[in-house]
Amino acid sequence: MSELLRISNLNIAVGERPLLENVSLVVKKGEPLVILGQTGSGKSLLMKWIMASIDSSLNCNGDISIHGEAVNMAQRRTLWGSQMAMLPQEPMTTLDPLMKSGEQVAEVSRFVLGFSKHQARFMAQQELERYGLAHTYQKRVGQLSGGMAQRMAICVSTAANASIILADEPTKGLDVNRRDDVVDMLRDKTKDDGLIVVTHDVDVALRLGGQILVLHYGKVVEQGQTLQVLANPQQEYTQELIRSTPKNWSKSRCEKGTQSRILRVENLSIERGKQKLFESLSFDVQQGEIVGIVGDSGCGKSSLGDAILGHLKASSGEIDRQKTQGKAKWLKLYQDPFTSLAQHLTLGKMLDDLIALHKLDASRVAPLMEKLALREQVLTYNSSQVSGGELQRFSILRALMMDPVFLFADEPTSRLDPIIAKEVTMQLAQLAREQNCGLLIVSHDPDLIDAIADKVINISDYVPQTVSLQESIA
């Protein structure tokens, strides 16, 4: 198995503070290398150094060779596209929102590989057909589902046939089926090349196989064959990552009792534009009950919650909500807490404003913060100064301060690291039950839903037979 890339004794620091310490690795032809770890472990920093796109103010030393030849920063930049290609975790940073999808693939073949316009378009169409995207040639990125956009980004990033592909969290936020499609596509595209995949998803690592390097706060804590390391982890950190995978969680269920019904949905159908997402959906929610929502991307999971909260009109059917004093008792917990919070105010100021506006009991803040493992200090920061896990826990705090009757949580932990995601999910479920709040939670991970939900609804089961989910918009 030929060696494509080697790094020896890489150290990166900001001032005197080390960010990566003594990292060494080898990438071989046809054998994926998985870099596993939480946010802040140095995974993306390592990728940026390999691509020579790292902040010039950082202190870096270490050796790198590609195809057996030592290469410096300037030399590595000349290899972009032709020898090395980077797939960022957000497709929108790779794709042009104003350009037709197929033309973006064709443009690489034309301007990097030198083919004629006609040849490049023909090659792009073949590439899209190969991965089930033939019908998307004329579509723009905004018309694609999350899984389709990620596959399109892979097509664009690999169209120049670079021998080394670097993928940074390529499956983040995708449902299980789309996640596996993307992993299989990457593995297939690079079966004769080199592949480095950064992820915090243990299941992605297992599916890729090959070699693994586990990073924790800039240090390599375990390294070796992926299947061997994950089957018999030696370090507590690796063991904790594996335990945080939802299929390994202890199941949490609501104690059976006589609770009041707060929501009844009867024969509900919802459309977006001219597209019918689902039809004939019926269910109810009791006080303190957790109802899990799963389904393929684009089937209408988020639209269901928006309809229940009155943000989207149903095309037919009935939604009967328990009578409450005002809409503030029916709330939504967003997938990305950063975009749902004011960035110019401290978290404490936002909380104070909420308490004043709704005349809430401020004495409840401290015990809720303790239950959510929130430091008092975070209230002095704005949303850009705290971690994603702390920000999502703060969002839960604000919601629960309102004593909601019903809370719709739309993928509330999909952008969090697995260890933090487990903590936040379990805290949310426990507190919702303690406050007798009905919780409707959407997740792309059926194992997560199975671990905490009292009942599960698969929206895909209610999609009309004539609808192609592949063409629906997430």
Side-chain angles (χ1 to χ4, degrees):
M1 196 173 291
S2 60
E3 182 178 301
L4 299 177
L5 181 148
R6 176 181 289 271
I7 295 173
S8 302
N9 304 317
L10 172 62
N11 292 277
I12 299 177
V14 53
E16 298 297 320
R17 183 166 66 90
L19 302 177
L20 282 176
E21 297 183 62
N22 198 31
V23 174
S24 298
L25 60 87
V26 175
V27 178
K28 296 180 179 180
K29 183 178 180 180
E31 184 179 51
L33 171 66
V34 177
I35 302 174
L36 184 70
Q38 289 181 273
T39 299
S41 61
K43 307 187 304 295
S44 297
L45 186 66
L46 173 58
M47 301 282 264
K48 288 180 180 179
W49 183 82
I50 294 172
M51 290 296 292
S53 60
I54 198 167
D55 189 334
S56 59
S57 67
L58 297 176
N59 301 319
C60 308
N61 63 77
D63 300 316
I64 180 171
S65 61
I66 296 176
H67 298 294
E69 297 290 332
V71 285
N72 59 30
M73 286 277 188
Q75 290 169 326
R76 294 207 293 281
R77 292 189 185 105
T78 67
L79 303 179
W80 290 356
S82 60
Q83 294 294 318
M84 294 195 301
M86 180 77 175
L87 176 65
Q89 60 180 266
E90 296 294 344
M92 289 302 292
T93 62
T94 300
L95 304 174
D96 185 339
L98 302 179
M99 191 175 183
K100 292 178 180 178
S101 298
E103 291 298 318
Q104 298 188 55
V105 181
E107 193 175 66
V108 178
S109 297
R110 185 181 176 195
F111 294 108
V112 178
L113 300 180
F115 288 96
S116 69
K117 181 186 291 188
H118 176 74
Q119 287 175 313
R121 285 178 173 173
F122 177 74
M123 292 171 65
Q125 187 63 41
Q126 283 190 315
E127 191 71 2
L128 295 177
E129 288 177 0
R130 184 181 177 188
Y131 294 103
L133 297 169
H135 66 286
T136 67
Y137 194 104
Q138 300 297 328
K139 293 181 181 291
R140 291 181 171 79
V141 182
Q143 297 173 292
L144 305 179
S145 71
M148 291 162 64
Q150 190 62 289
R151 281 183 285 159
M152 184 66 68
I154 293 173
C155 281
V156 172
S157 298
T158 61
N161 299 317
S163 59
I164 302 171
I165 305 298
L166 296 87
D168 190 2
E169 298 281 9
T171 63
K172 199 168 186 177
L174 299 180
D175 63 56
V176 172
N177 290 335
R178 300 298 180 268
R179 179 199 70 190
D180 291 347
D181 286 345
V182 166
V183 171
D184 292 344
M185 181 180 179
L186 275 171
R187 192 173 52 193
D188 183 51
K189 289 276 287 186
T190 59
K191 61 185 177 183
D192 296 320
D193 299 309
L195 173 64
I196 304 175
V197 175
V198 159
T199 186
H200 63 237
D201 191 326
V202 173
D203 288 329
V204 168
L206 287 168
R207 196 172 184 90
L208 279 168
Q211 296 283 322
I212 193 169
L213 183 152
V214 183
L215 274 179
H216 185 44
Y217 291 125
K219 295 180 180 180
V220 178
V221 295
E222 293 206 54
Q223 197 166 4
Q225 287 286 333
T226 300
L227 299 183
Q228 293 177 4
V229 169
L230 296 181
N232 187 29
Q234 300 300 303
Q235 299 298 316
E236 171 61 27
Y237 175 68
T238 312
Q239 295 168 9
E240 189 176 5
L241 281 175
I242 294 172
R243 287 195 298 268
S244 69
T245 302
K247 64 184 176 184
N248 295 325
W249 295 5
S250 298
K251 288 182 169 51
S252 169
R253 294 289 183 267
C254 181
E255 294 182 8
K256 297 295 181 181
T258 55
Q259 298 288 356
S260 300
R261 184 174 67 188
I262 59 172
L263 173 70
R264 181 178 62 87
V265 174
E266 191 74 28
N267 292 322
L268 188 69
S269 299
I270 290 181
E271 297 179 0
R272 286 276 192 180
K274 297 181 180 179
Q275 177 72 59
K276 179 172 282 190
L277 299 179
F278 60 82
E279 60 184 2
S280 304
L281 173 62
S282 299
F283 67 94
D284 57 26
V285 181
Q286 314 294 321
Q287 285 180 325
E289 185 178 33
I290 298 176
V291 179
I293 304 294
V294 297
D296 293 326
S297 295
C299 68
K301 301 187 294 293
S302 298
S303 297
L304 169 62
D306 289 341
I308 290 172
L309 295 176
H311 302 155
L312 176 68
K313 186 177 180 180
S315 55
S316 63
E318 185 179 353
I319 299 174
D320 181 22
R321 305 192 309 186
Q322 181 191 76
K323 296 295 186 294
T324 57
Q325 295 180 349
K327 291 183 178 180
K329 296 294 183 181
W330 293 74
L331 301 175
K332 181 173 181 176
L333 191 63
Y334 290 85
Q335 178 176 0
D336 187 355
F338 184 78
T339 59
S340 65
L341 297 171
Q343 298 173 30
H344 64 287
L345 299 175
T346 66
L347 303 188
K349 174 60 175 171
M350 283 188 275
L351 195 57
D352 289 341
D353 289 347
L354 183 77
I355 291 170
L357 179 64
H358 294 282
K359 298 180 175 56
L360 305 178
D361 182 2
S363 67
R364 295 179 56 214
V365 172
L368 273 175
M369 287 187 68
E370 184 177 354
K371 287 182 177 180
L372 287 165
L374 274 173
R375 302 170 296 147
E376 186 177 351
Q377 189 179 9
V378 301
L379 297 181
T380 65
Y381 300 141
N382 63 37
S383 58
S384 63
Q385 295 173 308
V386 298
S387 70
E390 288 177 316
L391 209 56
Q392 192 61 288
R393 286 197 290 265
F394 174 76
S395 298
I396 295 171
L397 168 68
R398 286 209 314 165
L400 294 181
M401 282 291 294
M402 297 294 296
D403 284 326
V405 169
F406 175 88
L407 183 60
F408 172 56
D410 191 6
E411 298 273 13
T413 60
S414 67
R415 296 185 179 274
L416 301 181
D417 289 325
I419 295 172
I420 301 300
K422 179 181 179 181
E423 292 174 359
V424 170
T425 303
M426 290 303 191
Q427 288 165 343
L428 174 61
Q430 179 184 346
L431 289 170
R433 285 182 173 133
E434 286 179 2
Q435 294 194 191
N436 265 337
C437 171
L439 176 63
L440 190 72
I441 182 168
V442 170
S443 177
H444 61 268
D445 191 335
D447 289 326
L448 182 151
I449 293 298
D450 183 58
I452 66 166
D454 302 309
K455 62 185 176 189
V456 180
I457 298 168
N458 190 332
I459 300 295
S460 297
D461 293 340
Y462 299 88
V463 174
Q465 293 297 315
T466 56
V467 173
S468 170
L469 281 178
Q470 196 176 37
E471 296 183 4
S472 61
I473 300 174

